[in-house]
Amino acid sequence: MTRTRSETTLPACYAIVLPGLEEIAGDEIASRGEVKKTSRGVVVFRLDEIDRRLLTLRTTEDVFLLAWGTDSLTYRATDLESIERWTAKVDWPHLLRIHHTIRPRPTGKPTYRLVTQMEGKHGYLRRDAGKALARGLAGVFPDSWKPVEENASIEVWLTIDQATAVCGLRLSDADMRHRTYKHEHQPASLRPTVAAAMVWLARARAGEVFADPMCGAGTILAEQLVCDSRVCVIGGDIERSAVRMTRSNLSRLGDPLLNHWDARRLPLAPRSVDHVVSNPPFGKQLSSPTQIGPLYRAIAREYDRVLRPGGQAILLVSDAEALREAVEPFGWKVKKRTRVLVLGQMAQLSVWRKPA
Ligand SMILES: C[S@@+](CC[C@H](N)C(=O)[O-])C[C@H]1O[C@@H](n2cnc3c(N)ncnc32)[C@H](O)[C@@H]1O
């Protein structure tokens, strides 16, 4: 069932995204509704209809119905009274009704879970904020509902980052961030939402050629196939085990061309690729960080050879300066750069265009 804004007052929604992806996620959300506000790791938005389509966003880690939000936490203990008061004022039955249209009420005894996340130096502990949230929710869940630590039918989250806080009912589950196609993992594998952000930036069209020459477990290729399987998807890796893993992860998504190859000498014709979308190994994944410069120079030369004039490269790297130096001889123009936290380290996501 779909709830529309004209039928009833619909609450705002918010998404939790990886820091650095706010603008890209905001762009994806804006294609479906109105972005109201963006702060570190959070995008608040409104939709005319709230239904299961919300769960098909690709660049967001989780989506919620907004109960309340603020930008003016004081860092002092009085925040705890505010959290309790704001939570108590929410029309929870209304939010729960909308929640049940997306995630049907489970049969049997319902369960619930309260989650509190906190970043910043506040004069209270995360646990205290969680207790304030629980006090504000007093009486909302019948005594027969059981609090659990995971797989709850209802989750209320409170996310605090410095002076900003959002509180809401979680609509997504783990499938939004982990996906269902990823049976096989390798340690350096990307989070699917980061791969989806790269695919979103590429905007490949039907019939165009999209290549990830260092595909690892195939996350970027998978995200492209989910987004539009009419694109011609090509991938490969120097490790046979990675190619096998990619084949298994992509088995239900489409029909990509997969190869065991060296990205420094691709078996592809010159000017045959529209989009190279890839994340080469980070320094810590190589036997020596000094290998980064030569590797980036070799792949930049090869990507320039296979890209058609006007084609683009979307690259996620740990060493932005080494990449800039590597692509300099080819006159590629940078269209976008953003920093994003990947595998616990800052990385740079950049979009380059080969001159037409
Ligand atoms: C950071 S991982 C890519 C992860 C991938 N995006 C994913 O989500 O699973 C880098 C990959 O580059 C591969 N690689 C390293 N050197 C290569 C080369 N010269 N040619 C092709 N692949 C290479 C590694 O085997 C590794 O799988």
Side-chain angles (χ1 to χ4, degrees), residues 182 186 188-191 195 212-220 236-239 242 246 261-264 266 278-282 285-286 295 299 343:
K182 235 175 156 178
Q186 59 156 232
S189 206
L190 275 185
R191 277 182 97 91
D212 179 357
M214 300 174 136
C215 67
T219 324
I220 295 172
D237 201 284
I238 203 162
E239 297 292 340
T246 296
W261 65 24
D262 185 339
R264 294 167 292 189
L266 292 169
S278 196
N279 85 293
F282 285 9
Q285 293 154 3
L286 296 169
L295 177 67
I299 60 174
L343 301 169

Side-chain angles (χ1 to χ4, degrees), residues 51 53 58 87 113 156 197 222 254 275 287:
D51 57 30
R53 282 174 294 178
R58 308 295 299 174
T87 306
R113 175 177 174 228
V156 179
H275 311 270
S287 47

Side-chain angles (χ1 to χ4, degrees), residues 3 45 63 112 154 173 204 210 215-216 240 276 301 304 335:
R3 293 271 163 169
F45 57 98
V63 288
Y112 69 94
I154 301 289
D173 62 14
F210 176 107
C215 67
R240 282 186 198 281
V276 169
R301 194 181 326 110
D304 186 69
K335 284 172 56 195

